[in-house]
Amino acid sequence: MHNRQKRRDAANRSRSSVWPWMLSVSIAPILAVSVGNLTATAQAAKSEKTPEEGKAALIHASTARHSFQLPSHSESRLKPTQLLMTQSVPPSSRIRQGRQVSLNGRILPLTWTQQPANSTSANFRTWIADVGLMQSAGVDLLNTADSTKQPVQWFSVSLTAAQSLTTRSTGPYRYLDVTNFAKLAGWQISAEGNVLKITSQAANVTGIRQAAREWGDRIVLDLDRPAPWQLNFVDTPSPSPTDDPTKPAIGQQAAPPARNLETPDDPTKPALSQPLAPIQPIAGQEWSIAIDAKIDRTLIDRAFATSPQVRSFKIEAAGNQTKVKVKIPLGWRPQVFSLGNSHRLVIDIRPDSLVEKDIAWAAGVRWRQQYQNLGTARFPVYSLEINPRQAGVKIRPLLSNPPTEKGSAPLLQTAELSGTAAAINAGFFNRINRLALGAIRRDNKWLSGPILNRGAIAWNDRGEFVINRLTLQETVITPLNQRLSISQLNSAYVESGIGRYNPDWGASYTPFSDNEIVVTVAGDRVVSQSPGGEVAKTNFPIPGNGYILALRSNFSPASQLTAGTLLRLETNTIPADFNRFPYILGGGPVLVKNSRVVLDAKAEGFSDAYVRQTAIRSAIGRTAAGNLLIVAVHNRAGGAGPNFAELAQILQQMGAVEALNLDGGSSTSLYLGGSLLDRPPSTAARVHNAIGIFIQP
């Protein structure tokens, strides 16, 4: 403990030097796999209670373990970059790689590569994606300021300082050289086709201990040797009161679109009259901690205590695995970590389960997990800080179902297919028709126009970006100088007026409401005027050199748009500065401007109910240094997620001089290097779009 304390003190003295590694990066939005569990490495043991105190002897945790060693359309489908090699590059025929790992027989979607150190070496070294390794085997990634070195802890195997694992960033992934670690851990590794086979030494659970603590409950599994472990979410509960009201999961019949009916799933105008929160409280949710170790039947058959925090507790034997299943309060998750000498797996059930991390993940990319305090509330925050001027880093919008604008998919899937290194879900969308509800601009093309003066973020590849409320002002002008205002451009948000749809929308337009009048314009001249008929029944081709005008509810402009009429189109953004940015993505409301909270949700068309709602939330911001923050804020310890005002204060505390709320609740997902950082994938909803960061060598 004395040596560990000295390391911690030295690490704390180095905090002031954390940021020299931050260079420059460039930025963009995504439109829209790995193992889905977040492992929590916890605090090291300081003392044990005695049997005379009435509890089993359990290890007390402390924070001493975490030594601080601190980092165009065609482009939207960027492929994963090729692996970076050392100066003496081995022939490609000698490189083995794949996307699956068999860990003691468990097949994991985990990216890996094997290659010799140079062109003449006969010894292969094994590299595995870092976050996936943490989540699938329990290898704790410790704090580091050097993106090329990653200290780790796994039971008694502690590789820090000069012994830290070498890293290799290859675009979408950051690999760890686990060759030496595997030897110390007793792992046998071999490649079989595209599957990396890992076998650890046979282990046994020799004891189970349990006791109450002032913050909750602790469970300890004693082992005869180290063993890989994994945290899994067992069941998906009914929607919680803290979930996003814009995406109700309760059974309901979707109301059929009526004339000029605003989109039923628009978060500003919920179509349901009943409350979206469940009437009956949810008892809890079940988690499973699976460890690759056998257990004797006598240890399973004993009775285990329950408590308000541990609603149920059971042990199951599954071949060479032991599974600990606990049902705990909704919104909680177990904090799991390993200790060595003797070998133990500790499971803490507590409201504040987040393990704080500060990791330089790549040049210009900093991964943090931390608590932000607002009064007595403690919010777990997962974030990435990006320098938008870093060479090789670009940010682009991605569609979940490219090349079409319609679709939704889990962020994990969209990010993996696109080859992005990091991503966060972004703008609002309609869950019924799976179309965006807000601004999406890519390569100067409006894939979806802004709505309701809502907040948006705009940027370019020089690392410049701005956050503000945004309106797109379009007008068609007739030869008689009659000015007809366009309500929306390429938008699934339907309201009375004129909607315009150009080729960036797609090959055709299908009416969103009954009895529209569809005006086809080609070469700046009206070609035809047709009745739209019933909603979603007829497809109207969009001219490649023109656009469609959809007249809704107010049909008086039809007399000024007869066939042969020559039209002139004016387009401007408000603020005008937005027009110079090739990339724009909408959200809302705007949270922070000039380092001050400027929240005005009503000015952006959000309903009172939505403004009051607490939920898990996603956000994006800019720091005074010009770095980008992408942030996922989860439920406060023992309570609900933040409302908009709390979210604004959290971003302000994190140093944001500008900040914007994004879609949240079940949509909130933060992705890094093949894995979700903030939640198990099974709990994350499908999303339409996101903001993604590509890293190119």
Side-chain angles (χ1 to χ4, degrees), residues 80 311 335 427 620:
R311 312 287 171 80
Q335 184 186 82
I620 188 168

Side-chain angles (χ1 to χ4, degrees), residues 233-238 240 282-288 309 311-312 326-334 635 683:
F233 187 79
V234 176
D235 61 349
T236 304
S238 302
S240 81
I282 299 170
Q285 57 193 21
E286 191 172 20
W287 294 80
S288 172
Q309 293 79 32
R311 312 287 171 80
S312 68
V326 290
K327 180 169 283 189
I328 61 179
L330 190 69
W332 290 33
R333 69 180 66 187
N635 293 338
T683 69

Side-chain angles (χ1 to χ4, degrees), residues 3-209:
N3 290 335
R4 180 178 292 159
Q5 182 65 43
K6 289 202 305 185
R7 289 198 305 269
R8 181 181 63 176
D9 293 341
N12 287 337
R13 288 194 297 271
S14 72
R15 282 183 182 270
S16 61
S17 63
V18 168
W19 275 101
W21 65 268
M22 261 318 246
L23 301 176
S24 315
V25 185
S26 31
I27 306 179
I30 303 181
L31 306 181
V33 187
S34 87
V35 178
N37 64 332
L38 289 179
T39 62
T41 58
Q43 314 146 332
K46 274 193 175 179
S47 60
E48 291 191 11
K49 290 192 174 183
T50 64
E52 288 75 15
E53 291 178 287
K55 300 293 179 184
L58 297 173
I59 304 299
H60 283 285
S62 80
T63 57
R65 283 188 67 248
H66 290 275
S67 61
F68 195 89
Q69 296 173 295
L70 291 177
S72 90
H73 181 76
S74 61
E75 288 178 315
S76 72
R77 297 296 295 167
L78 293 174
K79 298 296 187 289
T81 48
Q82 298 298 314
L83 296 176
L84 299 177
M85 304 303 169
T86 58
Q87 289 183 346
S88 181
V89 181
S92 59
S93 60
R94 301 188 65 201
I95 298 175
R96 309 162 183 163
Q97 56 188 342
R99 303 178 67 85
Q100 285 189 331
V101 169
S102 172
L103 179 57
N104 293 325
R106 289 185 287 134
I107 301 299
L108 307 169
L110 189 53
T111 306
W112 62 273
T113 181
Q114 278 190 332
Q115 60 188 77
N118 54 55
S119 59
T120 60
S121 175
N123 297 319
F124 278 78
R125 303 195 68 83
T126 301
W127 303 74
I128 300 178
D130 59 347
V131 182
L133 181 66
M134 179 184 74
Q135 295 180 350
S136 60
V139 178
D140 186 17
L141 308 182
L142 305 180
N143 294 339
T144 179
D146 184 352
S147 63
T148 68
K149 296 290 183 181
Q150 179 59 63
V152 298
Q153 180 84 37
W154 190 73
F155 292 95
S156 58
V157 179
S158 180
L159 298 176
T160 61
Q163 293 182 309
S164 297
L165 303 188
T166 301
T167 72
R168 172 181 289 155
S169 294
T170 64
Y173 306 105
R174 178 179 182 251
Y175 293 93
L176 302 181
D177 182 348
V178 299
T179 310
N180 296 339
F181 169 85
K183 293 177 182 178
L184 293 172
W187 291 4
Q188 297 296 318
I189 298 181
S190 62
E192 298 180 2
N194 73 333
V195 178
L196 186 72
K197 185 177 181 180
I198 301 176
T199 304
S200 65
Q201 295 175 314
N204 296 281
V205 177
T206 59
I208 303 172
R209 294 174 285 153

